[in-house]
Amino acid sequence: MSEQSRSHRGGRALRVGVVMLAMVLLLVAGWVLARQFESPAQREARAKPPKPGQVFEKVNRGPLEDLASGSGKVEFTKTDELTLATVPANAVVTNAPTRRFQPMSSGSIVTEINGRPLLVFSGRFAFYRDLRLGDKGPDVRQLQEGLQSAGYSLSDDGDFGATTLRALERLYAAHGYAVQAKTIPLSEMVVNDRLPGRIVSVPKVGSHPVAGEPLAKLSTGELRVVVHVDGPVAARLEKRMAASVTAGVGSRPVRGTVESIRNGSDGLSVVIVSTTRKLPDRLAGEAAVAQFTLSRVASDALLVPSRAVARDASGQTSVIVRTGSELRQVQVTVIGEQTGVSALSVDHTELSAGDDVLIK
C-alpha cells in the first residue's frame, strides 16, 4: 500500500472518531439538561417517601373505662338573700365587721349601716315594725326565740319586758354597740329560717343599701360541684354514681358521687356532685370539672390498641411482641374493647406493661 493511501485511511478514521465523540457529548449534555428541566410531576415522584416500616406501641396497664365529664363551678347548695324591709334615711354602709365565709348564727352582725348594726335572727317571717319595751305580739316572741338561740336565757311569752331588754342590751354590747331608747328598729333586724350558716357576700363600705333589694347572701348548705352535661351523657348517669372532681387551679382530684340530675336549658342537664371530703370555703365560685365512670370494661388489665390484636380462623387472638430485634407471637384473651383500646388477659411472663406490640 502506498504512503498516500495509508494517509487517506488514517484521516478518515480520525474523522469518524471525532463524530462519535461529538455524539456522545451531545447525549450527555441532553441528559444533564433533562435532569435540570424535569417536570413538577417528575420531581414529586422522586420526592415521595419510602414505604413506611413497622409501627409499634407500648403496652399499658390500668383500668379500661367509658368516661364522660362536665364542667361548671363550686357552689353552695342553699343560698339565701338577706333583704331589709326598710333602711334609714341616707343609708350608707359605714363598716364591714364580717368577712366572707364567716359563720353566722342567730344574733350575728351582718354589716353596719349609718354607724348602727344590722343583726340577723332565726325566724319564720320578716319583722314588720320597730320593737320597743312594752310591745306584745308574735314578732316579739320571734325576737325572744332568736335571743334564746343566741344563748340568752329568757322566756318566749311574746311580752317585751325587762328580761328581753337586758338580753338585747347584752347582745348589742357584745358587738360593741348600745341599744337606743329601749328599742330595736326594723332597720337593724333581718331574719333567716335556716341558721346557722356562712356569709357568702356582704356589701362594701360606702355602698348604699336599698329597701327591698338584696343586701347580703347567706349560705346554709355545704359546697357542691354543679356541672352541665349534654342529654345523652345525662341519660346514662344515675344517683350515687361515682365521680372524680377537680376544683380550683392546682387542686388534686377528689372523689364524689352524683347527688341529683335535673334538666337544664339548651339541651344540657344540671348535675350536682357531692364530695366525700368537705371542700374548703375558698373554692366557692371556682371553676370545676367532674368526671363520671359510665361503665368499666376492666378494673386492671394490660391495654393495647385494638389494631394490635389479630384473630385467626379458629378465633384465637394474639399480638406480635418485639423483643430486641426479634418478633414473637403471644396468644392473648381479649376482656373487652373501648374506644379503640383492648383490655387483655395474658400470662405476665409473656407480655408486660412497657413491651412493644406491632400495630397491624
Side-chain angles (χ1 to χ4, degrees):
M1 182 181 294
S2 65
E3 186 67 27
Q4 184 178 4
S5 177
R6 284 195 299 269
S7 176
H8 178 73
R9 288 183 177 181
R12 186 173 60 182
L14 178 62
R15 287 193 297 273
V16 170
V18 170
V19 170
M20 292 181 66
L21 178 61
M23 291 177 66
V24 170
L25 291 174
L26 286 172
L27 288 172
V28 171
W31 180 82
V32 171
L33 289 173
R35 290 287 292 173
Q36 291 178 346
F37 296 100
E38 63 184 355
S39 68
Q42 289 173 319
R43 286 196 296 271
E44 182 178 353
R46 287 199 308 109
K48 287 183 178 179
K51 292 182 179 180
Q54 294 173 321
V55 178
F56 296 85
E57 286 198 23
K58 295 289 185 184
V59 177
N60 295 309
R61 188 174 195 96
L64 184 58
E65 301 167 326
D66 184 9
L67 304 175
S69 62
S71 59
K73 62 181 180 179
V74 181
E75 298 180 3
F76 287 104
T77 52
K78 298 177 182 179
T79 301
D80 298 326
E81 294 177 337
L82 301 181
T83 303
L84 278 174
T86 183
V87 295
N90 302 318
V92 61
V93 176
T94 50
N95 190 19
T98 59
R99 64 185 184 279
R100 194 178 181 210
F101 305 131
Q102 182 172 323
M104 304 291 288
S105 57
S106 187
S108 293
I109 183 170
V110 177
T111 190
E112 180 187 278
I113 300 174
N114 290 7
R116 297 294 299 166
L118 173 63
L119 304 177
V120 61
F121 293 98
S122 55
R124 298 176 298 278
F125 57 87
F127 289 107
Y128 48 87
R129 60 172 175 168
D130 298 344
L131 293 176
R132 55 177 51 87
L133 187 64
D135 283 342
K136 300 179 184 294
D139 50 350
V140 173
R141 181 175 289 106
Q142 181 168 263
L143 174 63
Q144 292 170 331
E145 292 172 350
L147 289 169
Q148 288 177 339
S149 297
Y152 298 97
S153 179
L154 71 161
S155 62
D156 55 351
D157 56 5
D159 186 355
F160 195 145
T163 303
T164 302
L165 179 59
R166 283 195 299 271
L168 196 60
E169 289 174 336
R170 290 172 60 194
L171 174 63
Y172 267 69
H175 293 303
Y177 300 90
V179 173
Q180 295 180 336
K182 301 180 181 181
T183 300
I184 178 170
L186 182 58
S187 60
E188 296 181 13
M189 296 181 291
V190 67
V191 171
N192 184 268
D193 62 353
R194 289 203 291 256
L195 290 173
R198 284 162 288 182
I199 200 76
V200 177
S201 68
V202 291
K204 294 181 179 179
V205 173
S207 61
H208 298 277
V210 177
E213 293 187 3
L215 177 69
K217 289 184 178 181
L218 184 71
S219 165
T220 55
E222 296 297 329
L223 283 175
R224 297 288 187 266
V225 174
V226 181
V227 298
H228 297 82
V229 300
D230 58 26
V233 172
R236 300 180 63 187
L237 296 180
E238 298 177 357
K239 291 183 67 174
R240 293 182 293 279
M241 178 178 283
S244 175
V245 170
T246 304
V249 178
S251 298
R252 294 182 178 181
V254 178
R255 292 180 181 178
T257 55
V258 175
E259 187 173 295
S260 66
I261 309 165
R262 68 175 186 271
N263 293 331
S265 58
D266 302 327
L268 298 176
S269 295
V270 179
V271 182
I272 297 178
V273 180
S274 59
T275 54
T276 54
R277 188 176 71 206
K278 184 178 180 181
L279 297 175
D281 290 340
R282 60 177 175 79
L283 290 180
E286 292 287 335
V289 174
Q291 188 175 70
F292 310 98
T293 303
L294 301 179
S295 64
R296 178 169 292 171
V297 176
S299 299
D300 183 29
L302 293 176
L303 307 177
V304 301
S306 297
R307 292 182 299 156
V309 181
R311 185 183 299 274
D312 61 22
S314 65
Q316 177 62 52
T317 50
S318 63
V319 295
I320 303 297
V321 184
R322 180 174 63 182
T323 304
S325 60
E326 297 181 355
L327 299 180
R328 57 189 176 88
Q329 186 177 30
V330 175
Q331 292 186 343
V332 299
T333 300
V334 178
I335 301 172
E337 192 268 346
Q338 179 69 48
T339 61
V341 178
S342 292
L344 307 180
S345 173
V346 62
D347 188 337
H348 70 277
T349 62
E350 296 292 328
L351 186 67
S352 302
D355 287 346
D356 292 321
V357 291
L358 177 64
I359 304 299
K360 299 298 184 182

